[in-house]
Amino acid sequence: MDEVVETTQEATEEVNALLQYVYDHIPNMIGFAVQVFFAIIFFCIGRMVIKWIRGLVKKMLERSSADKGVEQFVDSLLKFGLYAILIFTIATKFGVDTASVAAVIASAGVAVGLALQGSLSNFAGGVLILLLKPFVVGDYIVEDNHNNEGTVKEIQLFYTKLVTIDNRTVIIPNGMLTNNSLTNVTQKDERRLEIKVCISYESDLKMAKEILWRLMEREIRIDKEKERNLFVDELGADGVVIGMRGWVKTEEYWPVRWQMLEDIKLTFDEEEIVIPYHQIEIQMKK
């Protein structure tokens, strides 16, 4: 019985001590809650200001006819920097020493810089892409080392987004694009169309060349003002290889190529011009 009374008294004393502690620190707790409340309000206002600044800068870049990639890059950098300033300002309002924060940021910057060398390389690559402009948003590029290709949709701080012709998104680090070779397919307005066709040695070569020239003349998307060529490219093992060249608009390259190949096959069939293919001939002797 005495043990129960003693345990009850200890529990009562602990509860009283806790209540006294809370009572003594109520002003501090209220003050901290007020600080948190104002910090939340300050953060919300800061977000609205950041959004307004980003919109203002975006309009200025649009008026100056800046490249879309530059616009996206500046927006990303501005967003990152302004949020860092906002969080730093809120931290100082909670009584955090500015000098201490600066020292911590400097030390963290060195550590992060060593740990994120690849990311810094990608950041530098993004800057070089925007300055040297090997491609811009809207170009169709091929990254030669890994054969990634697609239309450039976004140039961000650390990576570039491509959209392939079958609507897949490919994300490539900017460092890879600046350190490796790439092909910009659509940078020029026009592109040379080159098609090679093989005919058998038994087929009429002159007639085949006349057909190909007639098809080039008929295709209105091939530029008639620029140089066009029709030539025997090779006397191959399977037949005679005829080459044809002309200039088309870049966006019409593939449609013209596909149509020309179809027209060549159908016309050669009509005129009995044989396109050879690999086959095995077996002769049986008694």
Side-chain angles (χ1 to χ4, degrees), residues 178-191:
T178 52
N179 293 327
N180 299 320
S181 62
L182 61 87
T183 303
N184 190 330
V185 178
T186 57
Q187 189 175 47
K188 301 297 184 181
D189 293 334
E190 290 184 314
R191 185 175 174 184

Side-chain angles (χ1 to χ4, degrees), residues 7-206:
T7 303
T8 304
Q9 288 178 348
E10 289 178 358
T12 303
E13 289 175 359
E14 290 178 359
V15 171
N16 290 335
L18 178 61
L19 293 174
Q20 184 63 38
Y21 178 83
V22 172
Y23 179 78
D24 293 338
H25 290 81
I26 283 178
N28 294 333
M29 295 172 65
I30 293 175
F32 181 77
V34 170
Q35 282 186 324
V36 171
F37 176 74
F38 280 110
I40 294 173
I41 293 178
F42 189 77
F43 181 79
C44 294
I45 295 173
R47 284 187 61 185
M48 295 173 62
V49 173
I50 289 173
K51 186 176 181 181
W52 176 78
I53 293 174
R54 289 173 62 195
L56 183 64
V57 173
K58 183 178 180 180
K59 289 180 181 179
M60 291 173 61
L61 292 173
E62 288 175 350
R63 289 197 196 99
S64 62
S65 300
D67 180 68
K68 189 68 176 177
V70 175
E71 182 182 321
Q72 294 170 350
F73 189 88
V74 170
D75 183 65
S76 298
L77 186 61
L78 192 64
K79 179 181 178 181
F80 179 80
L82 290 176
Y83 271 105
I85 293 173
L86 177 61
I87 293 173
F88 179 78
T89 305
I90 292 175
T92 57
K93 295 299 181 182
F94 275 85
V96 179
D97 185 30
T98 307
S100 301
V101 174
V104 171
I105 291 175
S107 302
V110 174
V112 171
L114 293 174
L116 301 178
Q117 293 182 14
S119 296
L120 294 177
S121 173
N122 293 332
F123 176 80
V127 174
L128 289 175
I129 289 172
L130 293 175
L131 290 177
L132 302 179
K133 293 186 178 180
F135 57 84
V136 297
V137 174
D139 283 348
Y140 190 95
I141 65 172
V142 180
E143 190 271 309
D144 296 334
N145 282 28
H146 300 85
N147 294 323
N148 294 310
E149 61 180 279
T151 302
V152 179
K153 287 300 180 184
E154 292 184 26
I155 303 174
Q156 295 291 344
L157 285 175
F158 301 102
Y159 58 84
T160 294
K161 281 186 180 181
L162 307 182
V163 176
T164 63
I165 56 175
D166 56 349
N167 207 30
R168 292 179 293 118
T169 299
V170 180
I171 300 176
I172 304 177
N174 289 332
M176 183 183 295
L177 292 175
T178 52
N179 293 327
N180 299 320
S181 62
L182 61 87
T183 303
N184 190 330
V185 178
T186 57
Q187 189 175 47
K188 301 297 184 181
D189 293 334
E190 290 184 314
R191 185 175 174 184
R192 190 180 72 179
L193 173 69
E194 181 172 350
I195 297 176
K196 293 182 180 180
V197 183
C198 184
I199 65 171
S200 67
Y201 282 103
E202 291 78 16
S203 298
D204 190 330
L205 176 60
K206 290 184 178 180

